[in-house]
Amino acid sequence: MFCVDVAINLPVKNIFQQFTYSIPSELEFLESGWRVVVPFGAQKVEGFIVGKRPLSSLAPEVCSKLRAVEAALGERPWFDQEMLATAQWLAQYYMCSLAEAMRLFVPGKTSIRRRAVKDDQGRLIRYEYEERLREKTLQALQITEAGRQVLALGGGPRLQPQLKALELLAVSRESLTLQELAENYISPSTAKTLAKKGWALIVPKRILRNSYVNPQQKAAVFQLTEEQEVAVKAITNAVQEGKQETFLLQGITGSGKTEVYLRAAAQAVGQGKQVLMLVPEIALTAQLVERFRAWFGDEVAVAHSKLSQNERGDVWYKMYMHQANILIGVRSAVFAPFADLGLVIIDEEHESSYKQEERPNYHAREVALIRCRHTQAPLILGSATPSMESYYRAQQGEYVHLRLKNRANGSSLPVVEIVDMREELKARNFSVLSRKLRQALVETAAAGEQAIILLNRRGYSTFVMCRDCGSTITCPHCAVALVYHSAAEDMRCHYCGNTAPVPRECPKCHSRRIKFFGTGTQKAEEELMALPEVRVLRLDQDSTIKKFAHMEILQSFARGERNVLIGTQMVAKGHDIPNVTLVGVLAADSSLNLPDFRASERAFSLLLQAAGRAGRGDRPGHVIFQAYDVENRVLQLAAQQDYDTFAQGELQAREAFFYPPFAEMLKLTLWDKDEGMGLATATRLVSYLQQLQLEDKLGEVMILGPFPALVPKVRDLYRFHVVVKAKKLELVKKALWESEFKNLKNLYFDVDPASVV
């Protein structure tokens, strides 16, 4: 007789222990990694088995009180040893419970849901559970032994249609659906006759849903440049040897990083291995998926946030059953199960979207590195503007640094000029478009070419203000201004989603002098549409609510149906459209002075990525940055497209101020409905950390705060931050894990925060 230790899968942060259950005789096959249903209090919940031992290892009085596992979920353990080890690392490193870490590996984060059982009068009797993942099945035919005997004996002309069907079923390795039979000219009536005679059985057959059903394109094979050949050789050698190495593939925009990815993936697939390819946003997947499907066909599976839980379940099934060899997905795809992982690629590895904002605050790049170490799979980090952490590790020799310094087609980087918007105001040009950009757009459209306009603000106006008393219309639940959206004719909070009608008068002074200030993508779109021959498409969060809307917009633009694409940062990354010769960036300096240590890095990266969309074909590119702070060093280096000089200066500043990669960081955030209580708890936390005298054990340690978050109130909760910086955080984490603060429901740990504000 055995018992198991189970991590309880509930969406709460403070169930840190595992619970022991006995195993009934019919479930003795259970081992670590299985998902199970267990009683927990008055509920039946999902749990993950993390250990198994003999009942005899427990005291008799303990054994007598154990509750039993009620059911196993699935037909195999969900977690293999590599996934279990990764989950255990994640829980320890990111300071969360083991169950929180493990539920990241499950599509939808839970496998069961409660179902109410009621009596005839509609009164609740009890709750039962049912599995959430629904397999799609169709009726299919499977040949029987009687059918095989008939096939062996043969028959007259009247049996020929049935014999043909039996022959097809006999050579098939699995059952065939009616549709599959029809594709081989077997009619439904013939299929029914086989079943009626007992020559075939009607059985359910699982159908795996596929979100990408576009026709497969013909693979384009390019001659590699010398730089690409060097990169491919280094990576494929590691793949062949099954050696874990991390490669930083730093290539300017248009240098052909995707071609390197394809060759490396082909090497892995050729050895019977699987490949994980991460991309930062759904908007970047369509073109990349087309390139990979052209090479690998149906061996490619795709996972992203727009998939339903059942669709994601089908993708996960393909990977752990080795029915697909390549998985392309966004951040959460790093938790997919694999039969034999042999290579991981992270495109645009610098992107902040790889960092999960909700608890547990993991970074997909770091999780991928751990999985690669467990599986001895090489890891490729690709970017034109690497993160400071990855660039520094490459400089220190921890990563193999591969450089692509030239565009693959021999074209030059675009010419970038900066337009001073202060001069535009002096000339009484109050438009969002400078005269230079307006003229360039008209000329581009007249030449039959295309342009991309980046404005990293969605909506129509950034805020609504009373011109008499100066009050801004703010969200009643969050300490931020509401943004006006013309399409819906309302104001929205971009933090909590709250909407409100545009007031006819100021709620404070009752003046009717309400005015819209600032410019969002909707307002800029209106100005662009007024230009001659300009036909505009908008790509932002508001225009891509519908599933796959982003793909439809980008494909329409790539086909040349519209000649100007305007949007938020989604338009700046990853798109390779040869006819784009002009890129305009509105308010290019808007994010340069945010109070965050990564502000310069993010701004530089976005500007360089946006500029790189121009001139990728056989015509030269032209880029216009519109700004007020035109002398800003970051803006000037972005215009020169000089990453190395920027990175060296940024690293010097990070070292001087003790920021990553020269220090590890932990951000602790207190949330409370009562502002005073929140501040008091945060102050008590700081006092506890100071009393530990960590400097004596760790050397340089900095404890900053408490201070209000940049947006101090969200969803009626006040937020206070405490930031800890140290060379190594292990002792800090250990001290917090052993303290009373570990169990506070309103305290959140963010290890390696993407932002400190």
Side-chain angles (χ1 to χ4, degrees):
M1 298 290 288
F2 292 89
C3 61
V4 288
D5 296 320
V6 177
I8 301 299
N9 183 14
L10 286 175
V12 293
K13 63 161 285 190
N14 57 349
I15 302 180
F16 296 103
Q17 70 185 94
Q18 283 80 58
F19 296 84
T20 304
Y21 292 85
S22 62
I23 303 179
S25 57
E26 67 271 18
L27 296 176
E28 281 192 353
F29 60 85
L30 291 174
E31 298 285 349
S32 293
W34 277 88
R35 296 168 297 160
V36 291
V37 177
V38 294
F40 188 73
Q43 308 178 64
K44 294 178 181 179
V45 300
E46 179 183 29
F48 309 124
I49 297 179
V50 296
K52 182 178 181 180
R53 49 197 162 128
L55 267 177
S56 58
S57 64
L58 302 177
E61 60 271 20
V62 175
C63 292
S64 64
K65 296 178 182 178
L66 290 183
R67 303 172 81 178
V69 173
E70 294 201 357
L73 293 169
E75 299 176 351
R76 59 183 285 279
W78 186 263
F79 298 87
D80 59 23
Q81 290 305 307
E82 177 268 316
M83 294 164 72
L84 281 172
T86 300
Q88 288 162 349
W89 169 85
L90 194 147
Q92 182 178 10
Y93 187 81
Y94 288 107
M95 303 181 72
C96 65
S97 70
L98 181 57
E100 283 181 286
M102 295 181 74
R103 72 197 307 262
L104 293 169
F105 291 82
V106 178
K109 297 186 179 179
T110 180
S111 307
I112 64 174
R113 61 181 161 206
R114 291 197 302 171
R115 178 169 57 86
V117 178
K118 299 180 180 180
D119 62 18
D120 294 339
Q121 282 73 44
R123 293 172 298 195
L124 179 67
I125 302 174
R126 64 184 183 278
Y127 282 105
E128 292 184 349
Y129 72 88
E130 61 183 9
E131 293 198 41
R132 293 187 68 186
L133 287 177
R134 300 284 186 178
E135 296 180 2
K136 182 179 180 181
T137 59
L138 293 176
Q139 284 190 342
L141 286 190
Q142 188 178 68
I143 191 169
T144 63
E145 187 57 38
R148 293 186 186 278
Q149 291 176 4
V150 169
L151 185 60
L153 293 172
R158 294 181 61 186
L159 285 181
Q160 287 308 306
Q162 296 163 36
L163 291 173
K164 179 183 176 183
L166 288 173
E167 185 177 351
L168 190 63
L169 291 171
V171 298
S172 175
R173 289 180 295 176
E174 55 184 19
S175 57
L176 298 176
T177 65
L178 295 179
Q179 181 179 343
E180 290 169 331
L181 289 168
E183 289 171 357
N184 288 276
Y185 307 104
I186 306 298
S187 68
S189 61
T190 299
K192 290 177 183 177
T193 301
L194 294 181
K196 187 176 181 180
K197 291 182 176 180
W199 296 349
L201 287 177
I202 298 177
V203 296
K205 180 176 180 179
R206 181 172 184 177
I207 304 299
L208 299 176
R209 286 150 284 210
N210 183 5
S211 298
Y212 281 80
V213 291
N214 291 344
Q216 183 179 331
Q217 298 180 354
K218 186 177 180 181
V221 180
F222 299 99
Q223 180 69 38
L224 294 180
T225 66
E226 187 175 336
E227 292 175 331
Q228 287 174 319
E229 285 182 349
V230 170
V232 168
K233 184 176 181 181
I235 296 166
T236 55
N237 283 346
V239 172
Q240 285 175 336
E241 296 171 11
K243 178 184 178 184
Q244 203 297 299
E245 278 190 297
T246 301
F247 300 91
L248 176 60
L249 182 62
Q250 181 182 348
I252 65 169
T253 55
S255 59
K257 293 184 289 294
T258 302
E259 196 68 21
V260 176
Y261 301 155
L262 287 165
R263 306 295 176 109
Q267 178 68 46
V269 171
Q271 292 181 210
K273 300 285 187 177
Q274 292 173 298
V275 178
L276 170 63
M277 171 95 186
L278 294 183
V279 295
E281 294 183 44
I282 186 174
L284 303 184
T285 59
Q287 206 168 34
L288 196 69
V289 169
E290 289 175 2
R291 290 286 306 278
F292 270 78
R293 288 194 75 235
W295 274 62
F296 302 103
D298 291 336
E299 293 181 272
V300 178
V302 183
H304 53 75
S305 58
K306 297 288 186 180
L307 294 184
S308 69
Q309 184 180 3
N310 290 324
E311 288 173 327
R312 185 175 292 266
D314 283 351
V315 171
W316 266 219
Y317 179 84
K318 286 181 182 179
M319 301 317 296
Y320 73 67
M321 293 300 290
H322 217 152
Q323 292 188 13
N325 285 319
I326 296 173
L327 174 61
I328 300 175
V330 293
R331 178 180 63 224
S332 59
V334 77
F335 298 107
F338 291 92
D340 194 355
L341 184 62
L343 175 67
V344 176
I345 305 165
I346 304 183
D347 192 31
E348 311 294 357
E349 66 86 27
H350 63 277
E351 281 288 341
S352 59
S353 57
Y354 285 124
K355 183 75 160 71
Q356 168 91 342
E357 293 183 3
E358 299 82 27
R359 176 188 171 101
N361 303 80
Y362 69 87
H363 197 298
R365 182 182 61 220
E366 305 307 316
V367 177
L369 180 57
I370 295 301
R371 296 200 74 175
C372 286
R373 287 175 179 168
H374 287 316
T375 58
Q376 289 300 297
L379 171 63
I380 305 173
L381 305 175
S383 178
T385 56
S387 64
M388 289 298 104
E389 288 84 350
S390 295
Y391 185 77
Y392 179 73
R393 289 172 184 173
Q395 294 287 301
Q396 296 299 303
E398 295 178 44
Y399 296 167
V400 179
H401 200 174
L402 303 172
R403 301 291 296 260
L404 304 178
K405 298 181 179 180
N406 300 287
R407 283 191 158 179
N409 63 357
S411 63
S412 301
L413 287 172
V415 174
V416 182
E417 61 179 312
I418 302 174
V419 172
D420 191 339
M421 294 303 288
R422 295 171 299 184
E423 297 300 320
E424 295 297 306
L425 289 177
K426 288 179 184 178
R428 304 196 61 76
N429 175 23
F430 303 114
S431 167
V432 65
L433 303 174
S434 65
R435 292 165 294 174
K436 174 80 72 173
L437 181 55
R438 185 186 297 270
Q439 180 184 352
L441 281 164
V442 171
E443 291 173 353
T444 299
E449 298 168 359
Q450 292 173 289
I452 290 177
I453 303 297
L454 167 65
L455 174 58
N456 208 18
R457 297 186 198 129
R458 64 190 178 98
Y460 190 87
S461 295
T462 48
F463 61 98
V464 182
M465 191 178 80
C466 172
R467 285 182 287 179
D468 282 345
C469 72
S471 296
T472 299
I473 311 299
T474 60
C475 174
H477 309 290
C478 308
V480 291
L482 292 173
V483 177
Y484 175 59
H485 288 251
S486 63
E489 296 186 345
D490 63 13
M491 298 185 299
R492 297 181 196 172
C493 175
H494 287 179
Y495 280 80
C496 72
N498 177 58
T499 62
V502 179
R504 294 186 176 181
E505 62 179 37
C506 172
K508 183 172 286 188
C509 73
H510 304 291
S511 166
R512 289 183 174 270
R513 287 165 55 83
I514 300 290
K515 183 175 175 62
F516 303 119
F517 287 86
T519 299
T521 48
Q522 291 179 13
K523 186 175 180 181
E525 180 186 23
E526 281 189 7
E527 290 202 28
L528 288 167
M529 289 170 66
L531 297 177
E533 297 190 45
V534 166
R535 304 182 309 281
V536 186
L537 273 172
R538 176 164 52 87
L539 181 68
D540 58 19
Q541 199 170 330
D542 298 316
S543 66
T544 55
I545 296 172
K546 190 179 72 170
K547 189 174 183 179
F548 298 127
H550 66 285
M551 188 176 3
E552 294 169 7
I553 291 170
L554 287 170
Q555 288 177 344
S556 174
F557 184 64
R559 289 193 297 265
E561 294 170 8
R562 306 288 178 90
N563 53 17
V564 175
L565 177 67
I566 183 172
T568 52
Q569 56 182 318
M570 285 191 278
V571 305
K573 306 164 186 175
H575 314 307
D576 187 357
I577 301 172
N579 197 39
V580 171
T581 57
L582 174 66
V583 167
V585 181
L586 312 185
D589 53 345
S590 61
S591 60
L592 286 172
N593 298 308
L594 293 176
D596 189 77
F597 77 100
R598 295 190 196 273
S600 293
E601 178 183 358
R602 288 191 184 127
F604 180 89
S605 174
L606 183 60
L607 291 172
L608 211 67
Q609 293 285 339
R613 299 313 105 205
R616 298 171 76 96
D618 55 7
R619 284 165 284 189
H622 180 202
V623 179
I624 296 174
F625 292 163
Q626 294 186 174
Y628 290 90
D629 185 12
V630 295
E631 291 82 19
N632 187 285
R633 173 183 175 274
V634 175
L635 189 66
Q636 290 289 337
L637 288 173
Q640 297 164 26
Q641 300 170 80
D642 187 351
Y643 172 85
D644 289 307
T645 300
F646 166 78
Q648 288 160 14
E650 185 70 7
L651 286 174
Q652 288 174 4
R654 297 275 186 95
E655 186 172 22
F657 292 102
F658 200 43
Y659 279 116
F662 302 97
E664 294 183 355
M665 288 183 65
L666 170 64
K667 182 171 73 174
L668 303 108
T669 302
L670 264 298
W671 301 67
D672 207 297
K673 288 185 177 181
D674 186 297
E675 186 176 10
M677 289 289 291
L679 180 58
T681 305
T683 302
R684 190 159 52 88
L685 172 61
V686 170
S687 297
Y688 169 75
L689 291 170
Q690 290 172 338
Q691 291 167 8
L692 295 173
Q693 297 182 330
L694 294 166
E695 294 87 347
D696 298 340
K697 304 169 185 175
L698 299 177
E700 186 175 1
V701 176
M702 296 180 69
I703 301 170
L704 309 175
F707 54 90
L710 183 63
V711 179
K713 186 175 76 168
V714 174
R715 295 183 176 90
D716 295 316
L717 293 171
Y718 292 92
R719 306 189 299 164
F720 294 93
H721 293 324
V722 175
V723 173
V724 182
K725 296 193 286 186
K727 279 287 185 184
K728 293 291 180 183
L729 282 172
E730 284 91 345
L731 290 178
V732 179
K733 293 179 182 178
K734 186 174 185 292
L736 286 167
W737 212 240
E738 294 173 352
S739 74
E740 59 173 306
F741 297 101
K742 170 187 176 182
N743 292 307
L744 289 183
K745 294 182 179 180
N746 61 334
L747 173 62
Y748 294 87
F749 304 118
D750 186 357
V751 179
D752 303 334
S755 167
V756 295
V757 296

